[in-house]
Amino acid sequence: MTSLKAFVDAGRPFPWAKRGRLFTPSGDWTHGSHPCAVHVEGDTFVVAFTRRDAKRHSHVFLQRALVRDGTMTLQGEPKLALSPGAPGYFDCDGVISVCLVPHGGRVYLYYVGWQNLPDTFWICDTGRAVLDPRALTLTREFAGPVLGRDKDNPLFAAATAFHVEGDRWRTWYNSGLRWEKTATGWKHYYGIHLAESRDGVQWVSQPGMVLPFADDYEYAFGRPTVFEQDGVLHMWFAHRATATVDAYRIGYAWSVDGRQWHRHDHLAGIDVAADGWDSEMVCYPYVFTHGGRMYMLYNGNNYGQAGFGLAVLEEAP
């Protein structure tokens, strides 16, 4: 596979080629957001993504997929695998798929548990479930969050991107910064932080954003995805907003130590289309490799209401 750092060193945008929409919501469920994938065997993967019911509560679905020669094909029908938790629990108003992590012979789904508060406030902390890739089921490990609001994360802590080396687990997660009252309601601010763990369950947060806002207009980051190659960490992430656009776009940064990131959004290599399902927004990227190719799952318009699609990194010309 092409050296990712070579694109950075050359100042060339990553050559992502869009391959179209993979999943279009239909029926009683809306959205198809936050797709993530894990290899099972051969060319078979399991994809997890999030759909909303009539009450706008999010649920996690699983579906098999074949990945081969720069294509991904969903197989069969999506299966409901994880629903909101019991009343009063951290995930009682919704669960959102964020990252599938294989480790020690098991595959974990880290998910965001959603809880609505009065006056339109909300909390989104991090839960963990175990995937059975053959039965297409998810089983919660804990009734409570593995990473959540605490002395370092006073509003919420939504773990979204992971990297594991031996017993060193790292996550780049979204921690709430503040709420501001505006003419149209409360506005949230949140940014990407770093936490480390020895077992993926007990986390120690390192206070401070690892990726500062670009300017006074930017106020939030969507789910990042981190991929390591030759000792360099590469991150694609969703960021919002600019002076003229209040919608997510996908940016890019790289790092050696996971703490100090070098941001180069102009190299991200993927943007909104001229028209169609991803013409207004691109967000929630998730990168993975298979057969010497790199793939990106991502969402389009309205936070996944238009479904999710695939892009493939073309080799350097």
Side-chain angles (χ1 to χ4, degrees):
M1 194 177 75
T2 302
S3 168
L4 298 178
K5 190 61 164 53
F7 290 102
V8 177
D9 292 341
R12 298 176 49 225
F14 293 96
W16 290 108
K18 292 183 178 179
R19 296 298 171 87
R21 181 163 45 173
L22 290 179
F23 178 80
T24 303
S26 62
D28 295 333
W29 299 87
T30 69
H31 292 71
S33 71
H34 298 81
C36 51
V38 67
H39 181 244
V40 177
E41 60 183 5
D43 293 331
T44 300
F45 281 67
V46 169
V47 180
F49 55 97
T50 302
R51 306 175 78 182
R52 299 185 189 180
D53 63 21
K55 296 181 179 179
R56 301 185 64 193
H57 291 171
S58 296
H59 304 245
V60 176
F61 284 71
L62 300 174
Q63 192 165 2
R64 292 189 178 86
L66 287 180
V67 179
R68 184 180 298 153
D69 300 330
T71 67
M72 171 181 269
T73 306
L74 298 176
Q75 305 286 302
E77 295 295 323
K79 180 181 178 182
L80 176 61
L82 193 68
S83 290
Y89 282 68
F90 83 101
D91 54 357
C92 63
D93 291 317
V95 287
I96 300 172
S97 51
V98 289
C99 194
L100 287 160
V101 181
H103 186 265
R106 308 181 86 179
V107 178
Y108 301 101
L109 174 75
Y110 285 86
Y111 65 92
V112 168
W114 196 273
Q115 187 175 29
N116 292 319
L117 300 178
D119 296 329
T120 72
F121 294 112
W122 42 263
I123 300 171
C124 58
D125 289 333
T126 308
R128 196 170 88 162
V130 178
L131 168 72
D132 183 332
R134 304 196 180 281
L136 284 184
T137 60
L138 290 166
T139 303
R140 279 183 176 83
E141 283 196 291
F142 311 99
V146 295
L147 179 63
R149 59 194 305 183
D150 60 15
K151 66 182 187 308
D152 296 319
N153 303 288
L155 296 179
F156 58 80
T160 47
F162 293 81
H163 186 257
V164 185
E165 294 176 294
D167 62 354
R168 185 189 187 193
W169 295 62
R170 286 182 289 179
T171 182
W172 293 269
Y173 69 99
N174 260 318
S175 182
L177 301 173
R178 67 184 185 276
W179 292 89
E180 285 188 2
K181 185 73 170 179
T182 70
T184 57
W186 289 99
K187 181 178 179 180
H188 53 69
Y189 288 78
Y190 51 82
I192 300 173
H193 295 61
L194 172 65
E196 298 199 31
S197 172
R198 290 292 184 185
D199 58 8
V201 176
Q202 307 296 331
W203 292 91
V204 177
S205 300
Q206 299 186 14
M209 291 174 65
V210 299
L211 208 61
F213 291 133
D215 51 37
D216 291 339
Y217 298 102
E218 198 168 74
Y219 62 90
F221 291 95
R223 182 185 67 178
T225 181
V226 173
F227 181 82
E228 187 272 337
Q229 184 189 60
D230 300 329
V232 178
L233 297 163
H234 302 267
M235 177 193 290
W236 283 266
F237 54 89
H239 61 96
R240 177 185 183 185
T242 69
T244 57
V245 178
D246 186 22
Y248 277 122
R249 297 290 188 267
I250 293 177
Y252 166 81
W254 67 272
S255 175
V256 173
D257 61 7
R259 178 72 188 179
Q260 302 294 326
W261 289 86
H262 307 273
R263 183 172 176 177
H264 304 283
D265 290 354
H266 64 290
L267 301 182
I270 187 167
D271 204 344
V272 294
D275 54 48
W277 73 278
D278 60 349
S279 60
E280 300 169 3
M281 177 186 295
V282 286
C283 58
Y284 311 145
Y286 189 90
V287 299
F288 64 97
T289 59
H290 182 61
R293 307 290 298 270
M294 173 169 267
Y295 300 80
M296 177 190 289
L297 296 169
Y298 69 99
N299 279 121
N301 299 344
N302 202 17
Y303 315 98
Q305 189 174 33
F308 64 85
L310 178 74
V312 180
L313 190 68
E314 296 181 323
E315 295 299 315

